[in-house]
Amino acid sequence: MKIGVLSLQGAFREHLDTLDAIGVEGVRVREPADLAGVSGLILPGGESTTMRQLIERWGLHGPIIDLADRGAPIFGTCAGMIVLAAEIAGGEPPILPLLDVTVERNAFGRQLESFEAEIDVPVLGRTPVHAVFIRAPIIDRTGPGVDILARLDDGRVVAVRQRNIIATAFHPELAGETRFHRLMATMAAEHDDPGEGSGRRPHPTRRSLSARRDEAAR
């Protein structure tokens, strides 16, 4: 199993190191051909406007949407969460609108307002996640199909999942935290082999995104 890491800009090396630490092969993704054979994709932190430009320049928009539509897990951290959001506060057009949330960029202020916190993420177990927030976004709105994975003490949402899409406002990879990457690896393995036997139920992440959007429109 191989998991791709978008390696155009930002903190992609730390994600590759984290995948290596948990025994998963990480692949640098810079052009569509690099997505061949990957079972999932990580969108790292960085600068979302630059990432928008590079995704378009290298023709990655459609191939990433197709990868998600096939049910492969996509995980975005910090700027990666902005890239995945269906709506960006302020009217900026979305980049890869795969996640039914509204995000606010730089919600905590500039670099000097960066901070670290212990975050409860029940889906990952009882031990809190050590989270690093650097010019972090925040989620202002979640759609009905979005599961909230974590909040700050003041109630603001900082981690979500919608079927095969995961996003965090913070950087687990900068804190030596591996559990989000382990969750993604588990999802990628399920995507590769959703089970055997003719009687199994359809795998929930295998339903196409277009089918889900059609249902939501009814």
Side-chain angles (χ1 to χ4, degrees), residues 9-168:
Q9 186 262 346
F12 59 86
R13 293 180 184 85
E14 290 81 358
H15 282 288
L16 290 165
D17 290 344
T18 303
L19 289 173
D20 183 64
I22 64 173
V24 174
E25 181 179 358
V27 177
R28 295 190 183 203
V29 173
R30 293 194 173 100
E31 56 186 43
D34 298 330
L35 290 170
V38 304
S39 302
L41 180 67
I42 295 173
L43 307 181
E47 211 294 308
S48 60
T49 301
T50 301
M51 293 173 73
R52 175 197 299 275
Q53 295 169 348
L54 294 174
I55 286 170
E56 294 296 340
R57 179 182 302 172
W58 293 104
L60 284 161
H61 185 278
I64 294 175
I65 294 289
D66 289 344
L67 182 68
D69 203 30
R70 295 196 300 271
I74 312 291
F75 175 32
T77 60
C78 196
M81 185 170 80
I82 299 171
V83 172
L84 291 170
E87 184 179 14
I88 302 172
E92 182 180 342
I95 304 171
L96 299 170
L98 294 167
L99 184 60
D100 187 13
V101 300
T102 302
V103 298
E104 178 186 347
R105 298 176 61 179
N106 299 330
F108 299 94
R110 299 187 177 185
Q111 190 86 5
L112 291 176
E113 281 70 50
S114 299
F115 65 99
E116 301 181 23
E118 302 297 319
I119 306 293
D120 289 327
V121 188
V123 72
L124 299 182
R126 294 183 178 180
T127 303
V129 168
H130 189 72
V132 178
F133 292 80
I134 303 174
R135 297 181 62 191
I138 202 73
I139 295 176
D140 292 332
R141 177 197 64 85
T142 59
V146 177
D147 296 323
I148 296 173
L149 301 183
R151 299 177 183 266
L152 293 175
D153 290 341
D154 61 10
R156 287 185 288 181
V157 177
V158 292
V160 294
R161 174 179 174 179
Q162 185 176 11
R163 295 188 181 273
N164 55 317
I165 311 297
I166 304 173
T168 64

